[in-house]
Amino acid sequence: MKKVLVTGGLGFIGSEAVICLIENGYEPVIIDNLFNAKVAVLDRIETITHFRPKFYEVDATDEEATEKVFAENEIDAVIHFAGYKAVGESVEKPLEYYENNLESLIVIAKCMKRHNVKNIIFSSSATVYGVPSRVPLYESDPVAEATNPYGETKVMIERILKDLQKADPTLNVGILRYFNPIGGHPSGLLGEDPNGIPNNLLPYVSQVAIGKLKCLKIFGDDYPTVDGTGVRDYIHVVDLAEGHVATLKKLEENPGYVVYNLGTGKGTSVLELVHAYEKANGVKIPYVIAPRRAGDVAENYADCEKAAKELHWRAKFTIEDACRDAYNFQKNNPEGIK
């Protein structure tokens, strides 16, 4: 059974990827510093899959501790999720973002080299395209200056990995540019569980839906979009997880350096998402319009035909499915995962 090191494997996307790996016959080894995750997620992964992956409470920036994980496990591939990810916070704390996100990748890459691990999937982002001159976005579009430090760390890491692959052609690198992951595991056991006030739209909507937060703030209603609110490509987190397994199988063919957009290929506005949530769950979401947020763009959605053609992967779940699963998780876990 092939062992896959999953950094940040107890987080929202990481935990779904771990489940998907187990369901596809891989053995995940998780490292997570629990900065934005909880160890109880491990129990829930076991409940869902009837398998308890090996877990190390390790920060990926800690080279000595990360090296020990590589030494104790014959790792075949790495999926690198670990990193700070809040756009707004990155504008306020750029130094922390550059230090944490770049250092963790460098440590992982050094350990991979020492242990002759030749496959890595990096969790990148649509923010690497900067302010889109048109949509949809294609993998062949230029990687621009990102609109915020979080996005800029993704641009830099993509460049580092490209240079590493150029220096060692036996290395296989899969760059996955996500759009906006939402939803949760259909069991209701796992979902987006942020510390404090959510930075992302759907967990905020879910907390409004159960009365934990009073009202949704929509940042800007004067964008040149269908209803003035920002348009994004929202993808169900289970679809996203399956995209990682499809990419892992691709890396086993030794393709070198590959880049894929993972999204639905369709834009949905903030207001359209709110109305889909109301319809899917029979709830009302009160909202107010607030000023635009620094670093946000009007429209951002993907062309995903390359992933469909080369990975035989396509998003299957609808926006309503994602809204239902997000609400189900929030209802079952009103105070988050304990």
Side-chain angles (χ1 to χ4, degrees):
M1 194 183 284
K2 290 185 173 172
K3 288 189 181 180
V4 181
L5 180 70
V6 184
T7 73
L10 296 183
F12 172 47
I13 305 170
S15 59
E16 292 294 347
V18 164
I19 289 166
C20 205
L21 286 165
I22 295 165
E23 289 171 346
N24 282 274
Y26 293 92
E27 185 182 337
V29 176
I30 300 170
I31 69 171
D32 200 304
N33 67 356
L34 305 179
F35 170 76
N36 197 26
K38 298 188 177 89
V39 76
V41 169
L42 200 58
D43 299 328
R44 296 183 179 213
I45 290 169
E46 186 178 15
T47 301
I48 292 164
T49 64
H50 310 294
F51 177 82
R52 191 174 186 87
K54 203 183 275 191
F55 165 64
Y56 295 83
E57 188 177 341
V58 162
D59 191 311
T61 63
D62 182 337
E63 189 169 346
E64 194 180 328
T66 305
E67 168 61 32
K68 189 169 179 282
V69 177
F70 275 84
E72 289 179 8
N73 301 276
E74 285 185 25
I75 303 295
D76 294 285
V78 174
I79 303 180
H80 184 42
F81 293 106
Y84 296 160
K85 65 180 183 63
V87 168
E89 185 183 62
S90 80
V91 176
E92 293 159 21
K93 300 178 177 177
L95 193 59
E96 285 91 329
Y97 271 68
Y98 287 117
E99 182 178 37
N100 182 75
N101 293 6
L102 296 178
E103 185 61 28
S104 59
L105 183 275
I106 289 164
V107 165
I108 291 292
K110 283 160 84 174
C111 292
M112 283 178 66
K113 191 173 183 182
R114 280 195 291 267
H115 292 271
N116 203 34
V117 179
K118 295 296 186 182
N119 298 308
I120 180 168
I121 293 172
F122 174 57
S123 126
S124 191
S125 163
T127 58
V128 303
Y129 295 113
V131 179
S133 55
R134 51 128 184 86
V135 283
L137 290 156
Y138 294 81
E139 291 89 345
S140 55
D141 287 344
V143 168
E145 186 179 332
T147 56
N148 52 72
Y150 156 74
E152 202 56 38
T153 67
K154 298 293 189 187
V155 171
M156 289 177 177
I157 291 169
E158 284 197 16
R159 285 186 190 136
I160 291 167
L161 286 168
K162 195 169 195 175
D163 287 341
L164 289 173
Q165 201 280 328
K166 209 178 282 179
D168 176 8
T170 65
L171 186 65
N172 296 300
V173 175
I175 301 288
L176 299 183
R177 294 175 181 160
Y178 312 162
F179 281 69
N180 292 66
I182 57 170
H185 194 271
S187 64
L189 288 170
L190 291 173
E192 201 162 356
D193 184 26
N195 294 325
I197 305 291
N199 283 304
N200 292 342
L201 175 62
L202 208 61
Y204 202 107
V205 170
S206 294
Q207 290 191 17
V208 172
I210 65 161
K212 192 175 176 183
L213 294 171
K214 275 188 178 172
C215 166
L216 172 68
K217 266 189 202 168
I218 294 176
F219 297 104
D221 66 347
D222 57 350
Y223 286 107
T225 60
V226 60
D227 54 25
T229 63
V231 167
R232 297 292 180 269
D233 189 340
Y234 295 100
I235 176 172
H236 197 297
V237 68
V238 174
D239 278 330
L240 188 63
E242 285 175 356
H244 288 74
V245 172
T247 306
L248 197 53
K249 288 174 179 168
K250 180 71 178 174
L251 295 192
E252 288 161 7
E253 299 169 14
N254 298 314
Y257 185 89
V258 288
V259 180
Y260 300 104
N261 287 336
L262 293 188
T264 63
K266 182 180 180 296
T268 302
S269 78
V270 174
L271 275 177
E272 285 172 336
L273 186 74
V274 168
H275 297 325
Y277 195 100
E278 292 177 327
K279 185 181 167 194
N281 298 307
V283 294
K284 195 77 191 142
I285 305 296
Y287 65 85
V288 294
I289 304 299
R292 289 184 185 193
R293 242 178 354 185
D296 275 348
V297 297
E299 273 192 301
N300 204 345
Y301 60 93
D303 179 276
C304 300
E305 289 310 305
K306 187 181 176 192
K309 190 177 162 192
E310 295 185 15
L311 304 178
H312 312 294
W313 170 91
R314 205 182 275 282
K316 301 191 295 276
F317 293 100
T318 66
I319 293 292
E320 284 80 10
D321 292 332
C323 290
R324 202 173 299 113
D325 289 337
Y327 184 54
N328 190 27
F329 170 74
Q330 194 69 63
K331 264 192 319 185
N332 290 331
N333 304 272
E335 298 304 319
I337 293 170
K338 292 293 182 192

